[in-house]
Amino acid sequence: MLLLQFSTSHYCRKARLALGYKQIPYQVENLTPGLHILRVKPLSGAYTVPVLLPQQKNCPAVVGDSTEIIRFLEDYQPDPPLYLEDAIQQKEALRLEDHFDEFVGTAARFVYYQFRANEGKKIDPSLMSQAVITIVRLQYGINANSAKSAAQKIADAIAMLSEFWQDGYWVGDRFSVADLTAAALLSPLGLVPTYRRNYPWLFDRITEIHQICNEPLPKNWQAGLD
């Protein structure tokens, strides 16, 4: 299988965590933001990554969007499952996945790139890195005000998680798509010292989930502790 991705995208990380959890061998093709359209648009008809090319018999040629990738992987290789057996619990897990995809993941992007453009610039001050950060901030309208609003959404999400993640799973009594999604989409905040200091339990759990899914932690993860 081949995963078309941005190496720093937390939505692509979500797809990688799912592939790793299911122990499915795959390769990645890292694309350049902006130029990626030339690669993915003819394949998926969309402008976003991740895009999975299963390259297997009796499989679709292309699967776009992290949620659809997980749905495909559940059919392709049901064990170990990311979906829950109980229908009510599974409905809730999918609701939480959708909520994080639509609101929390985007909020994390705002907070992370605002941080990287200011006090976090020292993490990687290279011209290439700073150019990508500038492009992303312009593309999404990331500034001090929008990042402040996004930070409130993050605070609400962490408050929801705190009730469950400190001693169990978010839905039901085992690991599911809800836990995986939260770990992936909050992972950029691991580089922000304020979050690392205030919520050590959160990043302990994110680290644990990366280990479960055989996925390396984000680059410069240690910088969040400095």
Side-chain angles (χ1 to χ4, degrees):
M1 295 194 182
L2 178 64
L3 184 69
L4 308 182
Q5 66 162 15
F6 299 151
S7 61
T8 58
S9 164
H10 48 331
Y11 289 94
C12 296
R13 178 171 295 276
K14 179 185 168 188
R16 294 198 308 273
L17 286 171
L19 286 159
Y21 181 70
K22 289 181 174 292
Q23 301 181 38
I24 297 173
Y26 70 98
Q27 296 178 312
V28 299
E29 181 179 329
N30 291 319
L31 305 178
T32 301
L35 296 178
H36 75 284
I37 294 173
L38 300 175
R39 180 76 164 108
V40 303
K41 182 66 164 58
L43 292 170
S44 66
Y47 297 91
T48 58
V49 290
V51 172
L52 182 68
L53 308 181
Q55 302 174 324
Q56 305 288 325
K57 291 182 178 179
N58 302 317
C59 289
V62 180
V63 185
D65 183 81
S66 62
T67 297
E68 293 302 319
I69 288 171
I70 291 177
R71 184 175 290 117
F72 161 73
L73 294 177
E74 279 292 290
D75 290 335
Y76 176 79
Q77 186 163 301
D79 292 317
L82 283 167
Y83 286 177
L84 300 167
E85 294 83 2
D86 182 89
I88 295 176
Q89 291 180 345
Q90 176 56 18
K91 183 177 180 180
E92 176 65 4
L94 291 178
R95 185 191 71 80
L96 292 169
E97 179 190 21
D98 183 65
H99 175 73
F100 262 66
D101 280 347
E102 296 299 321
F103 299 102
V104 181
T106 55
R109 179 189 291 131
F110 275 58
V111 170
Y112 172 74
Y113 280 102
Q114 180 66 12
F115 167 74
R116 286 296 307 277
N118 293 282
E119 60 267 35
K121 186 178 292 186
K122 63 183 180 180
I123 292 175
D124 184 355
S126 68
L127 290 177
M128 178 61 73
S129 176
Q130 292 306 306
V132 170
I133 290 168
T134 298
I135 291 170
V136 172
R137 293 181 77 236
L138 288 172
Q139 179 181 358
Y140 292 103
I142 299 173
N143 54 48
N145 288 333
S146 60
K148 182 178 181 180
S149 177
Q152 183 57 56
K153 294 179 182 178
I154 295 295
D156 293 342
I158 293 175
M160 281 196 301
L161 278 169
S162 67
E163 184 177 350
F164 303 98
W165 257 19
Q166 296 192 59
D167 58 5
Y169 301 101
W170 204 1
V171 182
D173 59 0
R174 68 166 176 81
F175 185 69
S176 77
V177 64
D179 300 295
L180 182 148
T181 300
L185 300 189
L186 289 174
S187 64
L189 302 181
L191 276 71
V192 184
T194 300
Y195 285 97
R196 292 294 288 271
R197 288 194 299 267
N198 291 344
Y199 306 105
W201 60 267
L202 175 67
F203 298 100
D204 286 347
R205 196 56 183 272
I206 290 174
T207 298
E208 177 188 351
I209 289 172
H210 277 70
Q211 293 170 345
I212 290 171
C213 296
N214 302 298
E215 171 67 19
L217 289 164
K219 185 180 179 181
N220 298 313
W221 185 257
Q222 186 61 31
L225 295 174
D226 296 336

